[in-house]
Amino acid sequence: MSGASKEKDPFIASLGKIYAGYTGGFAVFVILIAILEQMGVPDRILGYLFVGLTIGVYAYIGIISRTQAVAEYYVAGRRVPAIYNGMATGSDWMSAASFIGMAGSLYALGYGGLAFILGWTGGYMLVAILLAPYLRKFGQYTVPDFLGARFGGNAARLIGVTVLITASFVYVVAQIVGVGIITQRFLDVSFGVAVFVGLAGILVCSMLGGMRAVTWTQVAQYIVLIIAYLIPAFLMSAKVTGVPLPQLMYGFALERIAELENGFRAAGMTPPPGVTGWHSAPFIGANGQFSIPAAINWFALVFCLMVGTASLPHILMRYFTTPSVKEARQSVAWSLFFIFLLYFTAPAYAAFAKVEIYQNIIGQPIASLPEWIKSWQIVSPYGVPWINIVDANRDGILQWSEFRIHPDVVVLATPEIAGLPYVIAGLVAAGGLAAALSTADGLLLALANALSHDVYYKMIDRNAPTARRLVISRVLLLVVALAAAWTAGNAGADILFLVAWAFSIAAAGLFAALVMGVWYKKTTNTAAILGMAIGYVATFGYMIHSEWFGLDFIQLFGSKDAIIAAARQVGNINQNFTSPELRAEAAAILANTAAVKDGALAWIGNIWGSPMTTDTIVLRNRVTGRMWGIGSISAGIFGVPISFLVIYVVSQFTTPPSQAMQDFIDDIRIPKGGVRLADKSEAVE
Amino acid sequence: MPLVESGGSPSNAEAPAVDKATAKAHWAKTSSLMLLVLGIWFFASFVVHIFAPSLNGIRILGFPFGFYMAAQGSLIIFVVALFWFGKRQNQIDEEFGVQED
């Protein structure tokens, strides 16, 4: 298995040269664009050049990496060195949300947003120590493959595929929305057209060459996205502090933010909706005081994002491509390092942008705001302008609460905030595009592979010839991509909040079964199947119930007072967003409040007592329920322990795994030698 | 498709790569390394941040220390711990002769 890696492969040996040349070429290209800009070439042409040329390069890599070999198509021939697989995982992982959205979330939430920074890095610890080396040793093609082989066949495989599709599909739709937003602004086309331009860019990378093409494109995309993220941050740091070391210098920006916030408060101002008034303060409520529910939600989110990271199949399958178990382990460390480079810069972005805005924009006459603000006062797909200036008290002066910036704009507008030339804005757009395209590619491949390899080949036609399997795989890739683009075009930005759910869904459905499958030999087939199914149904069901049936939810789990409060909230929502039936139901509750009783399961909802009571809040124009005050984004906090518990308990009562299965587990636990498969029909051809 | 358990004894001629005692000792050592790194993970992910409100009283280069730990400190611990883990697990594999050939 590892013998092949010992032979000198001329392509692998020259990877360093190839990507160094590519990085140099990209630098020269950026400088050329800068020169063109000085010569007076219009911004629009520069935008086309940036988007066109980078997508062209990805397409070129995708086309030269085309393949007809199954192992190349599914796992890139298992010869991707640890460090390159680390880069590919980095760009596979960092999506439009990380690149465009994260610094903006930190701008809005301050310390609260750091849950994303921690959650989306710490999960790699779990990947490295609990899963990646063992899945690599197992040595098949997909995550459901492992579940099928370890837990006795198609039932486990099918549940794995179901969880994978649920989690990956919402995620890929969000990436396509991200691609659409960027191409729309920089190519100046309608959102619907932009989505299909982006789709073409995604497909050309993955369709011909599968995992092989996606791997080498993702390495190229990582290089573009990290350069595009770091350069503006360095320039911004130089502008604000005089030292171009953003990660070290933003401490002073944090100090300045605290002073400015105190000054605003002293002047009787309040922060704009959704933005914290205490940037560095942990676990605070709206009044700035320590709040236990805030702390619990923060830790729950960190937990769900970490466990979710370790369960997302498009990430786990990247470690199937390394030449050895040893390299799989090293590769996780490299992945985390490359992700770290972006993530430890994001809070600096947020802090510098905040200082610039608080210092130079707030308190100015609205008539004389800088030019860049005006260029962002265009309507976003969310229905409000990206930067919304609301002169609430009509005094012509911009107050703290009157400057409302959408989080997604913080990174995209940084070049303009810092007064940098347009070439930097184009660079940032190219980086955001690389981030969204690379993640979309990885996700589409995970989806198409699950359908073609696990459902079609393993469950429907075990005798399908290789050529037909690859054709089916490509057709399915196209079908899934079109379905995702159609959903993105129709649902638009409304679907973005669903991305956070993908983590909890994957965590609750897969994590316990994967970990127990390796680390607890006595895990039985029935136990794992039940554990996955219950974890998935409980989490996904809870999310849907609490999000779209909030009033119903609170009538089941809430106390009398919580039910009445929820009914009042229904009345406060704009009537365009509530159904007549819902309004009637709420009115009936309020008409006779004396008759309202605690919900049938209120004892569960209030098992911890105050302040962790089950309640509702209005989000996205809906009354949404919160079990024990925990937001639905962290629903995995319920599903993951349930899944572990079910697997452990059921394993005590069901037939223990056969000797053959125990041998199989012994084999995947050590790097040396092959894997003796308990079920010979699972063997790789 | 039959469940594995009903499949009877496998007809494989392959022998295990190492003897049972070595495999067991190797797994015991691997497990304790796993628990140690899991402990580091738990500390850097959760324990240290419980004290964030009081750590914020300390300021270094302008950073409130509690904020710094969540924004950078824990991340650096994760990266360093993972490279160390990779190295240490290799040593364990070589010690028991179960590394890839």
Side-chain angles (χ1 to χ4, degrees), chain A residues 146-208:
Chain A
F146 175 79
L147 296 170
R150 171 67 178 86
F151 300 122
N154 286 346
R157 189 186 291 276
L158 192 64
I159 297 175
V161 170
T162 309
V163 179
L164 185 156
I165 290 176
T166 319
S168 303
F169 192 75
V170 284
Y171 209 136
V172 78
V173 170
Q175 299 315 310
I176 295 180
V177 172
V179 173
I181 290 175
I182 297 168
T183 23
Q184 181 191 20
R185 182 165 149 71
F186 285 88
L187 296 187
D188 219 3
V189 291
S190 80
F191 187 71
V193 175
V195 161
F196 280 89
V197 169
L199 185 69
I202 293 164
L203 281 176
V204 80
C205 299
S206 49
M207 224 171 121
L208 296 172

Side-chain angles (χ1 to χ4, degrees), chain A residues 226-456:
Chain A
I226 200 68
I227 291 176
Y229 203 80
L230 293 181
I231 286 184
F234 279 80
L235 295 173
M236 190 88 158
S237 174
K239 177 171 187 250
V240 176
T241 67
V243 183
L245 282 175
Q247 300 88 351
L248 212 60
M249 299 308 293
Y250 77 92
F252 299 110
L254 293 177
E255 251 176 354
R256 186 80 190 107
I257 290 170
E259 285 167 24
L260 288 161
E261 282 168 342
N262 285 335
F264 292 156
R265 257 191 299 279
M269 293 194 274
T270 51
V275 175
T276 174
W278 290 265
H279 191 78
S280 324
F283 320 136
I284 50 170
N287 57 0
Q289 296 302 308
F290 177 78
S291 138
I292 290 179
I296 287 169
N297 269 293
W298 193 88
F299 283 107
L301 183 57
V302 169
F303 176 83
C304 289
L305 295 177
M306 284 184 176
V307 177
T309 303
S311 318
L312 282 176
H314 76 286
I315 294 303
L316 292 176
M317 76 176 187
R318 283 237 50 96
Y319 300 106
F320 288 47
T321 66
T322 57
S324 65
V325 173
K326 181 179 162 188
E327 294 219 33
R329 273 195 295 264
Q330 284 170 341
S331 184
V332 188
W334 280 114
S335 308
L336 182 59
F337 172 73
F338 289 123
I339 292 164
F340 164 79
L341 287 184
L342 188 144
Y343 279 28
F344 93 126
T345 312
Y349 247 110
F352 289 132
K354 216 167 194 174
V355 169
E356 280 288 307
I357 286 169
Y358 282 9
Q359 209 158 254
N360 304 330
I361 310 288
I362 309 295
Q364 299 299 312
I366 288 174
S368 63
L369 290 176
E371 211 35 55
W372 66 266
I373 290 188
K374 287 177 195 136
S375 72
W376 280 102
Q377 281 177 297
I378 50 169
V379 175
S380 71
Y382 302 91
V384 288
W386 286 113
I387 293 180
N388 197 7
I389 306 286
V390 190
D391 194 6
N393 59 0
R394 309 226 179 109
D395 64 350
I397 302 287
L398 190 61
Q399 313 288 315
W400 194 11
S401 66
E402 293 172 356
F403 181 81
R404 295 170 191 178
I405 182 169
H406 189 279
D408 285 357
V409 174
V410 171
V411 166
L412 291 177
T414 294
E416 292 155 293
I417 298 176
L420 302 169
Y422 186 81
V423 60
I424 302 293
L427 182 66
V428 170
L433 206 55
L437 288 175
S438 56
T439 307
D441 272 328
L443 287 161
L444 275 181
L445 203 59
L447 283 162
N449 287 358
L451 291 172
S452 68
H453 177 78
D454 291 302
V455 177
Y456 173 72

